[in-house]
Amino acid sequence: MKSQPATIHMDEHLADADITAAIELLFMLKKGVTSHLVEVATHEGIVVLSGFTDNLLARERAAEVAKAVRGVRGVVNELIIRTPDVPNAELQRRVVRALQNDPAVRRYQVRSYANDGEVILEGSVQTWAEELLVLRALRGVPGVRHLHNHLAVHGGPVTAADEDIAAHIQNCLAWDLRVKSPLVDIAADHGAVRLTGTVGTAAEFDHVLATAHRAGATSVDATQLQVAPWALDKMLRHQRFAPKADEDVAQAVRDALRYDPRCHPDAPTVQVEQGTVTLTGAVSNLRARRAAGQDARNVLGVKDVRNQLQVHPAKPVDDDVIRQQVKAALAADAYLAGYNLLVSVEHGRVQVGGSVDSHFDQQRTAEVASGIKGVVELENHVRVVPTPPQPGDDDDDAADLEGPAADLALEQRIRLHFYWSALLHDQEIEVRVANGRATLTGTVDTWLERQHAAADARDCGAREVNNHLRPLH
């Protein structure tokens, strides 16, 4: 295990009760989590979530929110799915439609059987990442309470030497913007990988584990990979921000695209000039285009991405068919089913209108619509119109505030959110609020922190965010 640098400060103690209170607050702020049905308990940094939620995506999101909180070393997710009963035949139709609607998953040999809210998955995929895509596609299906995963992962034979496998995974981690700690060691034995060392958050732990799987490990043992807040220290992170050669950045982007099954079998051309990545070529669906751009963004050393990929479906799809499928997918989504969203299509270019009550649902609309076969372009005109708090709501008192008092309360919520964010707590961010509009100024490490800061400000209730944060790297 790599030694801990002498400059690290380990004296800050984050009390379990404070961590619990922070998570409970975030559950109220973040959309997609049924906060009033979720119980939170923390013991020595290990968070236990219990209670109920209404879909598998919300269960997953609750864990993700908790893992992003400073001081959380791990999450035990005991949330139970409580959802209205759906007849088996209807649930089976929903599951099959979800598998067919996903442009990557529809290529896989997957069989599904639905019974009393339980779905059994059988068949085979080639990689761990493909398996993850299948599970993700079904977690948003209303009525699914549990997934029984019997998929077989048939990767190719291990031909690389163990030293090369370990070095390759180490290289992938070094280029991943979401992995902050350089204190991870990797050993391989006949393709089986063992991770040791220390990372700063439970979310970072997940990224390290996922990277090892995607990079070709036949199995991953992370029992000796520790999570400790001191590993978030700035001195550690800044070791990773040394200048990167354009060709090295380009190769790291190509590797990231190669391991993302959403972009397969398309192979975008990657060019880098002074840290700006340009993606050219053609992909078969809009979700692949969006995924390629995000993959490039997640590479260390990338300052900007020009996504010039063209969407060329394998076969043309009639506009009316696209419209019907987009509307059906939006209506069947666990988060979006209650909204009246309008869809129009012309030459494969989709426009979605209407209103939702959060930025989370607005983004979810684009995610769902972009996965429909035949969609080549998407204009998301969905407006965010927050639902007024009802009497008895937890934030009812804050809703009664007006003018400067309301702005001050919003500013304090944003600051508190940043304080508890493992990603943002030590960034140089100034927050000002006027008439419900938040202005963020200062500096952050990368575009990732900049993006999260704006999203968190919106989650706290900002009507608009003027994001003037300047990434240093």
Side-chain angles (χ1 to χ4, degrees):
M1 184 181 298
K2 295 181 180 178
S3 61
Q4 172 197 321
T7 54
I8 300 300
H9 302 289
M10 301 178 61
D11 52 355
E12 183 176 15
H13 176 69
L14 299 171
D16 285 339
D18 293 337
I19 293 172
T20 295
I23 293 172
E24 291 174 340
L25 173 63
L26 291 180
F27 281 172
M28 287 190 290
L29 294 175
K30 301 278 188 181
K31 299 299 181 181
V33 179
T34 50
S35 59
H36 63 290
L37 299 177
V38 179
E39 297 291 333
V40 184
T42 308
H43 179 66
E44 296 183 354
I46 303 298
V47 174
V48 178
L49 303 178
S50 58
F52 304 93
T53 189
D54 57 4
N55 65 81
L56 288 172
L57 271 185
R59 183 179 190 271
E60 180 182 59
R61 178 164 167 78
E64 290 174 351
V65 170
K67 288 175 181 178
V69 171
R70 207 157 52 110
V72 173
R73 297 192 301 115
V75 173
V76 179
N77 195 341
E78 297 179 348
L79 288 172
I80 297 171
I81 307 303
R82 179 184 286 175
T83 182
D85 291 335
V86 177
N88 290 339
E90 173 59 22
L91 186 58
Q92 179 68 20
R93 280 193 292 269
R94 293 180 183 182
V95 168
V96 171
R97 185 165 57 235
L99 294 173
Q100 288 299 312
N101 278 347
D102 189 288
V105 171
R106 71 166 65 101
R107 300 193 301 262
Y108 308 152
Q109 300 299 315
V110 176
R111 301 180 299 277
S112 61
Y113 309 93
N115 182 53
D116 195 26
E118 310 273 324
V119 176
I120 298 174
L121 294 173
E122 296 179 350
S124 63
V125 291
Q126 292 299 310
T127 67
W128 175 88
E130 291 181 355
E131 179 185 36
L132 199 64
L133 280 185
V134 173
L135 299 176
R136 182 76 177 177
L138 296 183
R139 286 180 181 137
V141 176
V144 176
R145 298 191 183 99
H146 188 74
L147 294 174
H148 298 276
N149 180 19
H150 300 310
L151 292 173
V153 180
H154 292 312
V158 177
T159 57
D162 286 334
E163 294 80 4
D164 293 337
I165 293 173
H168 182 57
I169 295 173
Q170 192 78 66
N171 185 63
C172 290
L173 292 176
W175 283 101
D176 193 327
L177 195 62
R178 298 160 296 182
V179 177
K180 307 296 183 181
S181 173
L183 305 177
V184 179
D185 283 330
I186 299 146
D189 184 10
H190 295 87
V193 168
R194 182 167 61 91
L195 303 174
T196 59
T198 309
V199 294
T201 71
E204 189 176 1
F205 179 100
D206 287 351
H207 285 309
V208 172
L209 194 64
T211 299
H213 277 294
R214 287 193 178 96
T218 57
S219 64
V220 180
D221 177 6
T223 55
Q224 298 303 310
L225 182 62
Q226 306 297 316
V227 179
W230 59 260
L232 291 171
D233 191 273
K234 277 189 172 184
M235 293 299 295
L236 287 175
R237 296 203 305 272
H238 286 178
Q239 296 176 22
R240 295 165 45 82
F241 293 138
K244 314 291 184 185
D246 283 344
E247 184 48 44
D248 293 338
V249 173
Q251 186 56 51
V253 171
R254 294 185 192 105
D255 288 341
L257 296 174
R258 178 159 56 96
Y259 291 128
D260 188 341
R262 295 171 297 179
C263 302
H264 182 80
D266 307 306
T269 299
V270 180
Q271 295 178 312
V272 181
E273 183 174 353
Q274 296 182 348
T276 295
V277 175
T278 301
L279 302 176
T280 56
V283 292
S284 61
N285 62 85
L286 184 58
R287 184 171 290 173
R289 182 183 188 275
R290 290 161 59 93
Q294 189 63 53
D295 288 341
R297 276 284 193 179
N298 288 334
V299 171
L300 198 64
V302 172
K303 301 184 185 305
D304 195 13
V305 176
R306 296 173 181 169
N307 194 341
Q308 299 177 1
L309 290 170
Q310 302 294 311
V311 179
H312 293 160
K315 296 180 180 178
V317 182
D318 184 77
D319 284 345
D320 191 52
V321 172
I322 295 174
R323 186 182 66 81
Q324 292 176 10
Q325 292 184 344
V326 170
K327 285 181 67 67
L330 295 173
D333 185 74
Y335 286 130
L336 305 175
Y339 295 120
N340 181 25
L341 299 175
L342 307 176
V343 180
S344 63
V345 185
E346 184 176 358
H347 304 303
R349 293 171 173 81
V350 173
Q351 296 187 43
V352 183
S355 63
V356 296
D357 62 15
S358 70
H359 290 278
F360 173 81
D361 288 338
Q362 183 189 51
Q363 293 172 355
R364 178 70 182 169
T365 300
E367 181 181 347
V368 172
S370 67
I372 300 303
K373 186 177 181 180
V375 177
V376 300
E377 191 176 305
L378 176 66
E379 294 182 19
N380 189 356
H381 298 299
V382 172
R383 295 175 295 110
V384 177
V385 182
T387 302
Q390 301 299 312
D393 284 355
D394 292 330
D395 56 354
D396 192 36
D397 292 339
D400 291 336
L401 299 176
E402 296 180 353
D407 287 342
L408 179 60
L410 174 56
E411 185 174 310
Q412 290 173 339
R413 286 199 301 275
I414 295 173
R415 291 180 184 277
L416 184 62
H417 195 331
F418 289 176
Y419 173 82
W420 280 105
S421 168
L423 193 64
L424 302 175
H425 72 281
D426 59 356
Q427 304 293 304
E428 302 295 332
I429 303 176
E430 290 292 330
V431 182
R432 294 290 182 269
V433 177
N435 300 318
R437 296 177 176 86
T439 298
L440 308 179
T441 57
T443 59
V444 290
D445 285 346
T446 70
W447 76 269
L448 184 65
E449 288 80 10
R450 184 180 189 272
Q451 182 185 61
H452 275 265
D456 289 349
R458 293 189 186 97
D459 287 341
C460 289
R463 290 191 292 129
E464 294 180 17
V465 177
N466 298 319
N467 193 349
H468 299 303
L469 293 173
R470 182 170 59 87
L472 295 174
H473 305 284

